[in-house]
Amino acid sequence: MKYSIKFLFVLVLVGLFAAIIYYTGYRPFKGTDDAYIYFVYAKNIANGHGLVYTPGGESVEGFTSMLWMFIITAFYLITVNFQYALMALNVFMVSYALYRLVRFIDEYYIKDNKSIISVPSLFFLLLVLMVKGYLDWTVFSLLETGLWSTLLILCSVFLLEAATGQIKLLRQRIYFSILLGLLVLTRPESLLWGSVFIVLFGFINWHHSKNVKKVITALSYPMGFFLLTAILLTSFRLYYFGYPLPNTYYAKVSANWIYNFKEGIIYFLKYLFVYPLHVIPVVFAVVSFLIIIINQVGKAKRTMDNFTLSQLVNSVIVLVALSIPLLTGGDHFSLFRLYQPLVPVFFVLLFNMPFIKKQFFTIYTNTRWRKYLVFILLLLILPVIYLMNMPKYFINSEKVPYKVSLLNDFSFAESHRKESELLNKFFDYTPKPSFGRIWAGGYAYAYSGPTVDLMGLNNTLMAHATKEKIGLKNHAAFDKNTFYLLKPDLLISVIVEDTSNFILPENSSNFDNSFDNNAMKNIFRDEQFINLYQPVLITNNNLHLTLFTYARNDYIPILKEHGLGIKILKREYR
């Protein structure tokens, strides 16, 4: 009963903060553009087309998480409001993960089992929920981030409990094994994370037992289930898609490790700049790790108490989380998606009171007035923590080396979906023209014709065209030669409200620095492209609507056959 009330408290608190964030920031948006890619696959599976981005097209794993894709598909089949159902699921999962952390802090670090939640644990929750980013990514992006965060946190809690001597039963090891299996099905980084978790679990068991046989017995279920799930998933991928990893990996991660490391360092420094509060747990993880290692080197028996062991385990998890983006090069999204899933585990480091007292303080009192004083101080600190980041929230994200809002990511997906619904009426014939797109989620979800993903996430030819993806982060897979093989009928689309004042974008002086031109590596200036595609205004007189696009020369007559007005625009750039 006590645990049920504690979970309900956390659930209500997370739900309250989530509602505030949604209704003050993201309403009525429902997911990022990449989340809409999941929706595309869910729709195609539900309609019997299989794991494809385009009905009748190639089987391609254009999504990162196999498990999350099937969860979305199930919700898609159950309700038309599946996006809201997914948000509710994310709130529940995140709440449960945070509840497990709070329960651990109260029982083992604070030693407070009487109250619904201790003051330090309440402060911990407010730290996680108040600072922008965690709920934005885990609840509202509708990517697999909420599921990923939940599994990583639950695995971390399991290891922290094991470090404090609480994991002794077979069913607990089976629970850990299932978590590792689900982890494998959620993201490709799980191959690294699962290995780290298994090694940490083995180290913890060795520390407690000093018995090789007991360590092997403890690891048998987790390691066996982890390896079995990884082998089965990889075998399925090779059989169905032809590749051992999701296509998103080949489209985003460069084979140039030096480039990845440089981009990863930049990503890490931006993260610390945008989140100065997070500098505290990051530094504390390094300090804790070094203190423990140095202390152990100087001891003959090399033993440590359970709280020191749990701090060591927590520090290793944080350091691994910080290191992975250095290997992959980070990503381009706002609010640091790759770090957010483990932010709660970062802050747990600061609440290991027995370790902190032992290493840094010798005087401690538990008198009632001191508790109230701590509570008052924490209340005074919270507004300061919140305001630390506020100046950045009001700066135009395009003019600074960081972005602090996901609003564009959400609004793009919604506006692209609405535009595609309009294009279905605009091209009122079958088969509809194929569109080459940089943004491949919202457009493809609503458009009835073929969508060609020029960034390679949903196209194996583009993803595997070059091994070294150097350019705009996560938009560097575009390859000109592959584009000329794919040859979409139309490239890009813009609804034109006033045709009399319309200026061809490539005729402007700043076009070469535009996002579209950089993402497509200056293809608009290529002689081959100029000979193959024409910039045109297409008019549908029935809808009184005009569209700007690049049309392939041999497709222009087809447009005219269907009664659409065509005006070829003159290229004036020299």
Side-chain angles (χ1 to χ4, degrees), residues 410-459:
F410 281 80
S411 60
F412 283 155
E414 186 72 9
S415 63
H416 294 167
R417 180 188 64 79
K418 291 179 179 179
E419 184 177 324
S420 280
E421 290 174 348
L422 194 58
L423 292 178
N424 288 333
K425 299 176 182 178
F426 190 94
F427 300 103
D428 57 348
Y429 57 86
T430 303
K432 297 188 184 303
S434 61
F435 264 100
R437 299 288 191 187
I438 294 175
W439 304 94
Y443 279 123
Y445 180 67
Y447 187 55
S448 300
T451 300
V452 179
D453 181 3
L454 300 179
M455 297 297 102
L457 296 176
N458 305 280
N459 187 291

Side-chain angles (χ1 to χ4, degrees), residues 150-159 176 179-180 183 197:
T150 299
L151 294 173
L152 288 175
I153 290 173
L154 293 180
C155 286
S156 300
V157 171
F158 176 88
L159 293 174
F176 182 50
L179 286 179
L180 291 177
L183 208 66
F197 289 149

Side-chain angles (χ1 to χ4, degrees), residues 335-406:
L335 300 177
F336 304 91
R337 173 178 64 115
L338 299 183
Y339 289 134
Q340 291 295 348
L342 273 166
V343 160
V345 178
F346 288 13
F347 283 110
V348 171
L349 277 170
L350 307 177
F351 292 85
N352 188 343
M353 300 305 178
F355 172 81
I356 293 172
K357 285 189 294 180
K358 179 180 179 181
Q359 298 296 333
F360 304 103
F361 300 101
T362 56
I363 300 174
Y364 177 71
T365 180
N366 197 31
T367 57
R368 183 177 297 274
W369 71 271
R370 284 292 179 93
K371 283 187 175 181
Y372 289 134
L373 178 61
V374 169
F375 180 71
I376 293 171
L377 287 175
L378 294 182
L379 286 180
L380 293 174
I381 290 171
L382 283 172
V384 177
I385 291 171
Y386 181 73
L387 292 170
M388 286 174 76
N389 289 290
M390 284 306 291
K392 301 182 181 67
Y393 297 159
F394 297 111
I395 298 175
N396 185 338
S397 63
E398 300 303 320
K399 294 185 178 180
V400 291
Y402 52 82
K403 293 188 287 185
V404 292
S405 174
L406 281 172

